[in-house]
Amino acid sequence: MVSPNTAGASAKGVAVRSIVGLPKPVVRRLAGKPVVIEGKTLNPEMQLILRLEKFEGPPTESQPISRGRKQTLASCQMLGGSPSIGAVTDRTIDGPGGKLPLRFYTPKGMHGASPALVFFHGGGFVYGSIDSHDALCRFLAEEAQVRVISVDYRLAPEAPFPAAFDDSWAAYRWIVENAQGIGVDISRIAVGGDSAGGNLAALVAQHAVREGAHSPKFQLLIYPVVDYLGEYESKETFGSGFYLTKEYMDVSDENYLLGDEDPADPRLSP
């Protein structure tokens, strides 16, 4: 039986995907007056999605974390749907903080050893999960024809820095050590992630080099967090009106960091 909330999110997802598939002039009209900042015009489809998200309620960062996580998951499922894929399987490994969940995505028709992407989800180290990024991992696996292994690292504030890095490194090391048994071609392994996950992917790649371990051959870094040493003008310029607000980043940092970290720590700023 499908719950009303799930059914509602599914219906809204179909509606959103249908709207952004409309002819560009129609999307432009629905999105409203173009948003232009420093000569850059916001993509009208993204502007329309942001406009629709305002009807979903208060922004994630203004809510209790448990509710923000639920909203993040619902929003991602609404926009991403559930793309078709060959197989999805879950398992856990022993991690630094206990059982560490991994999710394996195998494209249709793939057999034997293949390239693999070890993926770390975004969400400010606080809000995301392997479930929130399920659609993205399905898409990446099928379109790139690689196995994708998504890591459900521990979140803050329950597990602040460096827990996320410790889990990410442990997962990568386990995948490398068990590559043959899980169908991964060790010579074609990559790391990737978005936002906080991009941070973790870059850190894992650098740590592998420092440790003399097997290094990834490729990094897929999607708007990664790479520098905690200073502030940047863009954080103010684009600090409101978009999904990734300055407040969202501040709330994430306040929960992930305890306050006495060295911003140049190689487990923090790649």
Side-chain angles (χ1 to χ4, degrees), residues 91-166:
R91 70 171 298 166
T92 58
I93 62 172
D94 291 328
K99 294 299 182 182
L100 178 57
L102 304 178
R103 181 168 292 171
F104 294 75
Y105 298 84
T106 305
K108 300 182 186 75
M110 178 168 284
H111 304 285
S114 65
L117 171 68
V118 183
F119 188 84
F120 308 99
H121 64 78
F125 303 102
V126 175
Y127 299 106
S129 67
I130 54 175
D131 291 326
S132 66
H133 285 60
D134 181 73
L136 175 58
C137 289
R138 288 168 176 262
F139 176 82
L140 288 172
E142 282 292 348
E143 293 299 315
Q145 283 297 292
V146 301
R147 297 181 190 275
V148 173
I149 306 168
S150 184
V151 181
D152 203 18
Y153 57 86
R154 286 171 291 166
L155 299 177
E158 298 91 336
F161 172 84
F165 168 78
D166 291 342

Side-chain angles (χ1 to χ4, degrees), residues 14-37:
V14 172
V16 169
R17 291 190 290 275
S18 298
I19 288 172
V20 297
L22 293 171
K24 290 188 181 298
V26 176
V27 173
R28 175 76 279 166
R29 185 177 181 86
L30 291 172
K33 182 180 178 181
V35 175
V36 181
I37 299 178

Side-chain angles (χ1 to χ4, degrees), residues 24 27-28 31 35 41-50:
K24 290 188 181 298
V27 173
R28 175 76 279 166
V35 175
T41 303
L42 181 63
N43 176 281
E45 291 183 352
M46 181 54 64
Q47 184 179 338
L48 179 54
I49 290 173
L50 288 169

Side-chain angles (χ1 to χ4, degrees), residues 224-240:
V225 180
V226 295
D227 187 4
Y228 279 90
L229 281 86
E231 292 292 326
Y232 291 87
E233 185 179 341
S234 61
K235 193 173 180 179
E236 297 291 340
T237 303
F238 302 98
S240 63

